[in-house]
Amino acid sequence: MAKDNIFSSVIDPVPPFEFNEEVVRVFDDMIRRSVPLYSEIIRRQAQLAARLYQPGSRIYDLGCSNGNLGMILLEVMKDRSFEMLGVDNSEPMLQAYKARLDNKKEARIRLLRADMEAVEMCDASVIILNLTLQFLAPPRRNDLLEKIHAALRPGGILLLTEKVIHKEEDLLQLQQAFYYGFKMEQGYSELEISQKRDALENVLIPETLEAHLERLQKSGFEKIDVWLKWFNFASLLAVKG
Ligand SMILES: C[S@@+](CC[C@H](N)C(=O)[O-])C[C@H]1O[C@@H](n2cnc3c(N)ncnc32)[C@H](O)[C@@H]1O
């Protein structure tokens, strides 16, 4: 796994973060050292998808990146048939994902380079938004969630993971402190942490957990569970009635 040292030397000015070739090359190291419990999150999401998948329906993974979740889904679904569309707007990400599928000669997962807002979705029982909604401008999030709800069959699920902020300033600061502590423990320097934060400013826009819950309810989801929470990260399961 190539080591992420993208932000280790001074960059001036720091350009906005992009999922370009340089990031794709180190993505697995970057995400594991930047998202607490990342491996746990994608493994449980794949297991939830396998458990609640309705035969004959579709799975959509929006912002699928290089396919880490898809690889685990193939493992947990074993020989069961399913149909998944992985969507991402980064060509280098999809190239990396495609190479992994070609190695397995796997036809159950198709890939589409597109903006997730533009994808036609229907007859789904599982839709995954793992660390991706946060990259969409907040005013556009409601429409996407409504579209996702409409595309799901009754009993269908949305798996949502997001970086979040706390509505109380002191708890927000506490969460930030623990998050930067986590990144230091993972070997990132203060320079790397601060330059990455600058790069993500106005690119990754976190909301409060309450804002996500309200949006999910407004979009029509009947049952919602926050099945994992680590300071400023939350994974939710939302069920269409
Ligand atoms: C943090 S990564 C997601 C990680 C991935 N879901 C996983 O489980 O490993 C965010 C991904 O969303 C993609 N993305 C961001 N905005 C997008 C959009 N509007 N449409 C499609 N993909 C998008 C990025 O290219 C990137 O691959």
Side-chain angles (χ1 to χ4, degrees), residues 19 27 31 38 42 61-66 68-69 87-90 93 114-117 130-132 134-136:
F19 291 94
F27 179 72
I31 199 151
Y38 173 74
I42 56 168
D61 185 0
L62 305 179
C64 59
S65 296
N66 64 353
N68 285 334
L69 192 138
V87 178
D88 208 289
N89 62 2
S90 159
M93 278 294 187
D115 197 297
M116 60 187 165
E117 291 176 280
N130 195 43
L131 300 159
T132 301
Q134 58 197 16
F135 291 103
L136 193 65

Side-chain angles (χ1 to χ4, degrees), residues 60-191:
Y60 294 89
D61 185 0
L62 305 179
C64 59
S65 296
N66 64 353
N68 285 334
L69 192 138
M71 293 304 119
I72 301 177
L73 190 66
L74 290 169
E75 187 190 309
V76 294
M77 289 292 256
K78 298 200 177 77
D79 296 329
R80 281 171 65 191
S81 76
F82 70 92
E83 200 184 310
M84 179 158 101
L85 184 68
V87 178
D88 208 289
N89 62 2
S90 159
E91 183 61 28
M93 278 294 187
L94 290 182
Q95 288 302 331
Y97 198 161
K98 187 173 178 301
R100 293 169 97 178
L101 291 177
D102 288 349
N103 285 344
K104 289 180 175 290
K105 300 199 176 7
E106 182 50 62
R108 288 174 289 181
I109 301 179
R110 286 186 306 117
L111 301 179
L112 176 69
R113 183 183 180 191
D115 197 297
M116 60 187 165
E117 291 176 280
V119 179
E120 296 290 329
M121 294 182 284
C122 64
D123 202 22
S125 59
V126 180
I127 300 182
I128 301 150
L129 265 178
N130 195 43
L131 300 159
T132 301
L133 187 65
Q134 58 197 16
F135 291 103
L136 193 65
R140 290 155 63 168
R141 295 179 187 177
N142 288 358
D143 284 355
L144 180 64
L145 265 285
E146 280 170 19
K147 199 171 152 183
I148 286 174
H149 184 268
L152 284 166
R153 288 181 175 185
I157 60 164
L158 167 66
L159 295 169
L160 175 69
T161 300
E162 288 276 292
K163 194 174 192 180
V164 292
I165 45 170
H166 205 284
K167 61 181 189 302
E168 304 292 349
E169 184 58 28
D170 52 348
L171 292 179
L172 184 149
Q173 295 303 336
L174 183 79
Q175 292 190 341
Q176 290 293 335
F178 271 75
Y179 182 51
Y180 294 134
F182 168 82
K183 292 193 80 165
M184 299 287 278
E185 285 167 8
Q186 302 304 309
Y188 282 120
S189 66
E190 279 182 29
L191 177 68

Side-chain angles (χ1 to χ4, degrees), residues 175-218:
Q175 292 190 341
Q176 290 293 335
F178 271 75
Y179 182 51
Y180 294 134
F182 168 82
K183 292 193 80 165
M184 299 287 278
E185 285 167 8
Q186 302 304 309
Y188 282 120
S189 66
E190 279 182 29
L191 177 68
E192 286 178 293
I193 294 171
S194 92
Q195 293 194 131
K196 174 96 177 281
R197 190 184 47 217
D198 291 349
L200 285 171
E201 185 83 33
N202 300 323
V203 175
L204 187 169
I205 302 171
E207 295 175 293
T208 61
L209 185 54
E210 290 77 7
H212 285 293
L213 291 169
E214 193 184 327
R215 180 180 297 113
L216 288 167
Q217 277 157 359
K218 274 200 182 140

